[in-house]
């Protein structure tokens, strides 16, 4: 009798203990706030030493956490980067190799894995993957690319029409979710994702006059002549000189504004445009004017991102959430702010291949620390899972850099990064290429053309002079060729792409409407 009671008591005690442990674990597991910009180059962040702007709020994340100086993407373009972060797999394995593809949401994603692990998951803002989000308890996303003003956003319950500036609206929705909509008992993953500063760089009403009285410093390579490189650098269509259109340059009335918004805009651009027409610029002067117009609008969009991220960081402080929330800031890729005479991304050259990454994790990450470990967007989902204490599936291809965050990069951390870009023919005419980068060198193969480039980043940080055919680099080249094959094998890239049959949800909706 006594024995039976004691067994029963033991069981009760055990149950209580297990529950208590679960509760305690639930409390202790950190929240993950993933703040994601679109096309935000590291050159436009003051924590990265920007010469062109100040980003005091974004800098807070670096100042109170770690800045990564070698964070790379696997494929420098919007949709594919997002698919890599959801799946932890290269484009050829997740099926989303170029913009316009439709993401197969049935596959394994980090959001689903975190859901299973007991996290509450939400995505707010830009999604741009062609199919509805899966694995999210809450979603409120821009339709496709989404406009800068007055966006219509998709939710599981239908379309919500907003009036106002998109960067502020995405932040309002994110704050509302944090304050009122989430289950406070559970740890969360919030993917708070901006449209800004993507083309066509429409500033918010508050930022329209920022930089009015300043001249933005020009990058050293604004007038690059593309000599000493393979042919693709000459044959692209993304120059400030020739490929910014009147809409990009705000020389024509902008679509999608309310009458009131248009008035504010006319006041900002009307006098400047009149002055421009009067000046009748040509040649390099015209390029310089275009650069100023473009760079200022781009930076004004970032000013709004900075201000709005500041609102969220303040809320984390006020609510007490900050202490147990890991805050990550990154962009889907880097960007050309006039370097090589360009805007846009796509290339394996540093400005677009690298992306900003700052991580704040109070009590874990040393404030003001800097890492030059080669991390990638491919690693993000594994970091999320690691932070959550969830198991990491063996078929994810990155690696959690939690140890690096804690100040100790594993000795067997990767020493090279593999890249593969596919979108050709396509916007801006950048040839398909893959390549490998080590801490010092970079080898690029434009494989459809069978042209190569090799850069010595220590001697030629702007990548203006390919030494591929230089006999002095013969042994370096040979080593890199071997390394390139090794990483291609490692990431299972034999040139083929997994084919998923993903139905077009828009067609389905249209059919439904007609029916
Ligand atoms: Ca992008």
């Amino acid at each position: 009798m006594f024995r039976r009671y004691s067994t029963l008591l033991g069981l009760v005690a055990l149950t209580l203990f297990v529950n208590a442990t679960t509760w305690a674990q639930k409390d202790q597991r950190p929240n993950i706030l993933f703040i994601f910009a679109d096309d935000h180059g590291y050159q436009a962040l003051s924590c990265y030493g920007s010469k062109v702007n100040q980003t005091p709020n974004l800098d807070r994340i670096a100042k109170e956490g770690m800045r990564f100086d070698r964070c790379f993407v696997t494929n420098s373009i919007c949709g594919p980067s997002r698919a890599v972060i959801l799946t932890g797999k290269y484009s050829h394995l997740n099926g989303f190799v170029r913009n316009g593809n439709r993401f197969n949401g049935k596959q394994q994603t980090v959001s689903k894995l975190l859901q299973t692990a007991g996290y509450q998951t939400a995505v707010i803002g830009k999604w741009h993957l062609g199919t509805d989000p899966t694995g999210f308890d809450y979603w409120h996303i821009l339709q496709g690319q989404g406009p800068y003003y007055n966006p219509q956003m998709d939710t599981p319950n239908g379309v919500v029409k907003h009036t106002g500036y998109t960067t502020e609206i995405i932040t309002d929705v994110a704050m509302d979710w944090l304050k009122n909509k989430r289950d406070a008992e559970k740890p969360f993953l919030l993917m708070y994702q901006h449209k800004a500063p993507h083309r066509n760089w429409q500033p918010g009403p508050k930022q329209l006059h920022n930089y009015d009285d300043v001249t933005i410093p020009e990058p050293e390579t604004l007038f690059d002549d593309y000599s000493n490189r393979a042919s693709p650098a000459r044959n692209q269509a993304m120059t400030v000189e020739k490929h910014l259109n009147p809409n990009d340059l705000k020389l024509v009335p902008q679509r999608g504004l309310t009458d009131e918004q248009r008035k504010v805009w006319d006041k900002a651009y009307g006098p400047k445009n009149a002055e421009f027409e009067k000046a009748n610029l040509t040649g390099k002067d015209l390029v310089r004017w275009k650069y100023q117009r473009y760079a200022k609008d781009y930076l004004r969009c970032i000013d709004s991102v900075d201000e709005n991220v500041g609102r969220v960081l303040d809320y984390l402080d006020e609510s007490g959430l900050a202490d147990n929330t890991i805050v990550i800031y990154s962009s889907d890729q880097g960007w050309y702010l006039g370097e090589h005479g360009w805007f846009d991304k796509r290339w394996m050259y540093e400005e677009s291949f690298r992306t900003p990454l700052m991580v704040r994790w109070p009590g874990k990450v040393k404030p003001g620390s800097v890492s030059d470990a080669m991390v990638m967007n491919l690693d993000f989902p594994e970091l999320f899972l690691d932070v959550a204490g969830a198991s990491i599936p063996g078929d994810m291809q990155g690696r959690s850099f939690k140890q690096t965050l804690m100040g100790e990069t594993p000795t067997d951390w990767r020493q090279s990064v593999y890249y593969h870009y596919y979108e050709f023919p396509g916007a801006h005419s950048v040839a398909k290429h893959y390549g490998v980068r080590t801490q010092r060198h970079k080898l690029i193969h434009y494989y459809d053309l069978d042209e190569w480039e090799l850069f010595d980043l220590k001697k030629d940080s702007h990548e203006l002079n390919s030494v591929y055919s230089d006999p002095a680099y013969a042994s370096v080249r040979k080593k890199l060729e071997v390394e390139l094959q090794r990483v291609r094998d490692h990431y299972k890239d034999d040139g083929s792409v997994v084919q998923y049959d993903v139905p077009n949800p828009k067609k389905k909706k249209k059919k439904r409407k007609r029916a």
Side-chain angles (χ1 to χ4, degrees):
M1 190 73 176
F2 173 75
R3 220 171 139 180
R4 201 184 287 163
Y5 272 125
S6 68
T7 314
L8 200 66
L9 279 171
L11 273 175
V12 170
L14 185 70
T15 314
L16 284 174
F17 173 74
V18 167
N19 275 342
T21 321
T22 318
W23 289 330
Q25 272 176 2
K26 266 187 189 168
D27 288 346
Q28 282 167 15
R29 284 193 298 176
N31 303 305
I32 304 167
L33 173 59
F34 180 66
I35 312 173
F36 206 40
D38 192 326
D39 295 356
H40 191 177
Y42 54 84
Q43 316 93 301
L45 274 154
S46 36
C47 59
Y48 279 93
S50 168
K51 293 174 186 146
V52 292
N53 67 337
Q54 291 295 319
T55 47
N57 292 295
L58 298 172
D59 290 1
R60 270 183 66 189
I61 303 169
K63 226 179 262 173
E64 295 163 12
M66 185 176 274
R67 186 190 81 210
F68 287 82
D69 284 355
R70 300 270 186 282
C71 180
F72 299 95
V73 296
T74 67
N75 180 2
S76 179
I77 184 84
C78 312
S81 176
R82 286 153 207 273
V84 166
I85 291 167
L86 286 171
T87 61
K89 292 176 185 168
Y90 270 80
S91 306
H92 62 281
L93 295 185
N94 68 42
F96 201 107
V97 298
R98 54 182 289 162
N99 282 343
N101 284 159
R102 285 192 292 274
F103 182 68
N104 170 20
K106 287 182 181 155
Q107 65 189 304
Q108 169 183 283
T109 60
V110 68
S111 53
K112 287 182 197 171
L113 293 166
L114 282 173
Q115 247 181 353
T116 306
Y119 268 62
Q120 196 176 182
T121 56
V123 59
I124 294 164
K126 185 158 174 181
W127 174 253
H128 205 204
L129 288 169
T131 50
D132 288 346
T134 56
F136 289 94
D137 299 309
Y138 180 90
W139 49 273
H140 195 123
I141 56 169
L142 292 173
Q143 295 179 335
Q145 184 63 255
Y148 271 104
Y149 279 82
N150 313 321
Q152 299 199 20
M153 295 177 78
D154 283 338
T155 75
N157 305 318
V159 177
V160 180
K161 291 182 181 180
H162 294 277
T163 305
Y165 190 56
T166 300
T167 302
E168 292 167 11
I169 288 162
I170 290 171
T171 307
D172 292 343
V173 175
M175 297 268 273
D176 180 43
W177 184 79
L178 282 170
K179 284 180 185 172
N180 308 314
K181 295 211 162 74
R182 72 190 168 91
D183 176 355
E185 306 266 304
K186 285 183 173 180
F188 64 78
L189 164 72
L190 169 58
M191 300 180 89
Y192 158 50
Q193 312 198 135
H194 285 289
K195 179 227 167 49
H198 191 279
R199 193 181 185 182
N200 66 332
W201 320 291
Q202 290 183 330
K206 285 197 215 165
Q207 289 83 25
L208 278 167
H209 291 277
N210 294 6
Y211 310 100
D212 268 3
D213 301 321
V214 295
T215 302
I216 307 294
E218 289 170 5
E220 284 176 48
T221 57
L222 182 61
F223 295 100
D224 192 351
D225 65 1
Y226 314 117
S227 57
N228 304 318
R229 271 150 285 169
S231 69
R234 287 190 292 282
N235 296 330
Q236 40 61 41
M238 52 189 271
T239 60
V240 170
E241 180 184 4
K242 293 182 190 142
H243 303 103
L244 288 172
N245 63 41
N247 185 48
D248 294 328
L249 295 167
K250 320 296 177 322
L251 293 170
V252 292
Q254 302 287 290
R255 286 185 295 268
L257 303 178
T258 63
D259 289 347
E260 208 173 313
Q261 289 161 350
R262 191 172 300 287
K263 267 185 213 158
V264 182
W265 266 66
D266 287 346
K267 213 174 149 193
Y269 289 93
K272 291 175 208 161
N273 287 351
E275 208 176 296
F276 166 69
E277 270 166 41
K278 208 173 138 196
N280 208 9
L281 302 171
T282 55
K284 282 194 172 179
D285 291 337
L286 181 56
V287 177
R288 293 202 152 102
W289 181 87
K290 287 181 182 179
Y291 169 73
Q292 290 297 323
R293 171 62 56 98
Y294 149 61
K296 286 181 182 183
D297 284 342
Y298 177 80
L299 297 174
R300 288 168 180 141
C301 291
I302 290 170
D303 287 348
S304 179
V305 171
D306 184 69
E307 183 188 309
N308 281 282
V309 169
R311 289 172 57 204
V312 175
L313 294 178
D314 287 348
Y315 175 69
L316 294 183
D317 288 342
E318 288 156 20
S319 62
L321 280 168
D323 282 345
N324 197 32
T325 300
I326 177 169
V327 176
I328 300 155
Y329 184 86
S330 192
S331 168
D332 57 351
Q333 13 61 214
W335 185 255
Y336 296 93
L337 192 48
E339 295 87 359
H340 299 294
W342 293 338
F343 62 97
D344 213 69
K345 51 254 181 181
R346 297 161 201 275
W347 300 91
M348 200 190 164
Y349 301 141
E350 290 295 276
E351 291 85 353
S352 52
F353 181 29
R354 264 182 67 190
T355 199
L357 174 65
M358 299 96 77
V359 182
R360 183 183 82 175
W361 195 5
K364 307 272 190 197
V365 177
K366 196 178 154 206
S369 50
V370 176
S371 171
D372 64 358
M374 300 177 99
V375 299
M376 305 170 74
N377 61 346
L378 185 72
D379 303 326
F380 293 177
E382 295 192 33
L383 175 72
F384 298 172
L385 293 167
D386 200 4
V387 162
S391 59
I392 298 169
D395 60 351
M396 281 192 168
Q397 296 183 300
R399 187 170 175 186
S400 165
F401 49 95
K402 193 171 117 186
Q403 273 181 269
T404 298
L405 283 171
M406 315 284 253
E408 220 159 302
T409 301
T411 48
D412 62 345
W413 191 257
R414 73 169 71 85
Q415 292 301 313
S416 71
V417 174
Y418 176 59
Y419 181 83
H420 194 160
Y421 173 78
Y422 297 81
E423 198 173 302
F424 186 92
H428 303 294
S429 293
V430 175
K432 289 180 188 176
H433 55 291
Y434 54 65
V436 68
R437 185 208 195 275
T438 62
Q439 288 281 8
R440 170 143 184 196
H441 298 103
K442 187 184 290 180
L443 180 70
I444 306 176
H445 189 203
Y446 302 95
Y447 49 93
D448 281 349
L449 307 164
D450 199 23
E451 289 190 57
W452 294 81
E453 283 171 338
L454 170 58
F455 295 102
D456 182 338
L457 300 168
K458 196 173 171 189
K459 289 188 179 164
D460 176 25
S461 62
H462 293 310
E463 298 163 290
L464 300 174
N465 185 32
S466 169
V467 290
Y468 184 76
S469 305
D470 184 339
Y473 283 86
S475 72
V476 171
R477 176 177 138 184
K478 205 167 180 191
K479 270 188 210 157
L480 285 169
E481 281 167 352
V482 171
E483 182 60 7
L484 178 59
Q485 192 53 52
R486 187 193 71 79
V487 283
R488 282 178 62 75
D489 292 344
H490 176 76
Y491 293 114
K492 302 183 171 61
D493 187 359
D494 61 7
S496 60
V497 174
V498 67
Q499 296 297 326
Y500 287 122
D501 181 22
V502 187
N504 185 347
K506 277 183 203 154
K507 272 188 187 158
K508 218 167 49 184
K509 278 176 197 163
K510 269 184 196 162
K511 262 185 203 164
R512 243 188 263 145
K513 265 186 195 166
R514 271 191 223 121

